[in-house]
Amino acid sequence: MARAKIALIGAGQIGGTLALLAGLKELGDVVLFDVAEGIPQGKGLDIAEASPVLGFDAKLVGTNGYEAIEGADVVIVTAGVPRKPGMSRSDLLDINLKVMGQVGAGIKQYAPNAFVICITNPLDAMVWALQKACGLPVEKVVGMAGVLDSARFRYFLADEFNVSVEDVTAFVLGGHGDDMVPLVRYSGVAGIPLPDLVKMGWTTQEKVDSIVERTRKGGGEIVNLLKTGSAFYAPAASAIEMATSYLRDKKRLLPCAAFLTGQYGIDGLYLGVPVIIGAKGVERIVEIELDSSEQAMLDKSIASVQELVAECKKIVPSLGA
Ligand code: A3D
């Protein structure tokens, strides 16, 4: 069977890491696209030159032309600019909405059958705009945030309990921002829920609360340390997990920004919820029961996403049509 084709739109920090991970996992051939000349070509060649040492077979090419993504099975989008000092949220939205418009047109023309994963921030609004721009079915366009946020939560919990990260499961719902909703009741170690682990004396409620808070601010913690950029290893690994579930029809249950059509009482908005990803894309949106405090946190998160999308519609009125 021919290798899958993975197109990476944006060959910056995350894009380069995605290319390396896709190679290491032999997910398929990789096309790196960027508007910056030389960067995608250089990164593609550098990773290809690592392949004999690392022992993987994949073609990696860099390009500044969308035609090279033709027929891609998976497209992962990281194109955009980060928020710089002095730039308002509207300025950032304005620029990245334009980028989503260009990227969406490229996908529409050359990769209309792809499974599209958006990573560009502000995530919940950008994935919404990208779906509008490319016109692909909503089940084929998702946003990556929940896998990363849950991975951070899992790592902090594994560290607290001194257990393998593999045995820690954790759930984070809602938009990708400080008001995301880490779900304590649905998180735990090898099936033992966190509230039980508190009762068993493995940790304290205060410690769990501080881990929840650290998870919410996980992106900012890395930005403060790096000073010149944001996280890229864990975001790339998270998107690769989603792409793998699609390409191998694994039907993983992963928290992703998915388009809701009534689930969780929301219609017409992308929001972080548990979904099953298989060969058809988002094959199922899982509605879990929330208690009143979890629902209140989710409502707050929904309101932030709604506000962001309303701002996008103001900037590009045609998106509201
Ligand atoms: P960076 O290293 O700046 O890479 C972005 C790349 O996009 C650069 O190489 C640009 O040249 C390129 N680019 C700009 N405009 C276009 C365009 N019109 N078409 C194609 N390429 C273009 O950033 P990064 O890789 O560190 O991060 C990428 C995005 O992911 C940013 O928006 C981050 O905020 C976001 N991000 C999201 C998460 C989530 O969990 C959702 C986590 C971390 C980063």
Side-chain angles (χ1 to χ4, degrees), residues 9-15 33-36 66 78-80 82 99 102-103 119-121 123 144-145 148 176 230-231 235:
I9 312 296
Q13 295 281 58
I14 300 179
F33 171 95
D34 203 292
V35 285
Y66 270 107
T78 59
V99 174
Q102 292 165 10
V103 175
I119 308 185
T120 303
N121 270 323
L123 191 270
M144 187 296 296
L148 169 65
H176 181 61
S230 52

Side-chain angles (χ1 to χ4, degrees), residues 27-240:
L27 280 188
D29 292 335
V30 176
V31 177
L32 283 139
F33 171 95
D34 203 292
V35 285
E37 278 176 33
I39 301 285
Q41 291 85 350
K43 289 195 180 182
L45 181 59
D46 191 13
I47 296 169
E49 288 169 356
S51 66
V53 185
L54 294 170
F56 65 80
D57 288 301
K59 286 215 179 335
L60 286 118
V61 293
T63 180
N64 305 115
Y66 270 107
E67 58 286 351
I69 75 162
E70 180 146 34
D73 299 290
V74 169
V75 178
I76 308 181
V77 179
T78 59
V81 300
R83 189 157 161 182
K84 299 194 184 88
M87 195 190 256
S88 72
R89 187 170 83 166
S90 300
D91 296 339
L92 176 76
L93 280 178
D94 190 26
I95 297 171
N96 282 352
L97 280 171
K98 287 199 181 93
V99 174
M100 290 305 109
Q102 292 165 10
V103 175
I107 294 172
K108 187 181 202 159
Q109 185 170 359
Y110 293 106
N113 298 315
F115 179 58
V116 179
I117 302 170
C118 181
I119 308 185
T120 303
N121 270 323
L123 191 270
D124 305 277
M126 289 305 119
V127 63
W128 173 84
L130 182 64
Q131 190 279 328
K132 291 240 171 204
C134 71
L136 269 59
V138 289
E139 66 273 14
K140 298 294 279 296
V141 184
V142 290
M144 187 296 296
V147 175
L148 169 65
D149 297 328
S150 303
R152 288 180 173 144
F153 196 17
R154 287 170 65 193
Y155 169 70
F156 299 147
L157 290 171
D159 196 39
E160 165 69 1
F161 297 138
N162 198 22
V163 298
S164 166
V165 287
E166 288 182 46
D167 290 325
V168 180
T169 48
F171 248 121
V172 174
L173 286 190
H176 181 61
D178 289 356
D179 47 19
M180 67 178 84
V181 187
L183 284 180
V184 169
R185 277 192 316 137
Y186 289 102
S187 304
V189 177
I192 312 169
L194 264 184
D196 289 14
L197 290 163
V198 173
K199 279 189 216 140
M200 287 155 63
W202 278 40
T203 186
T204 59
Q205 189 55 49
E206 292 69 40
K207 189 72 202 179
V208 171
D209 292 344
S210 79
I211 287 175
V212 163
E213 206 41 34
R214 190 176 176 195
T215 301
R216 285 204 173 109
K217 306 216 162 103
E221 184 176 1
I222 304 279
V223 168
N224 288 337
L225 289 166
L226 294 179
K227 294 184 182 72
T228 55
S230 52
F232 53 100
Y233 294 117
S238 303
I240 289 291

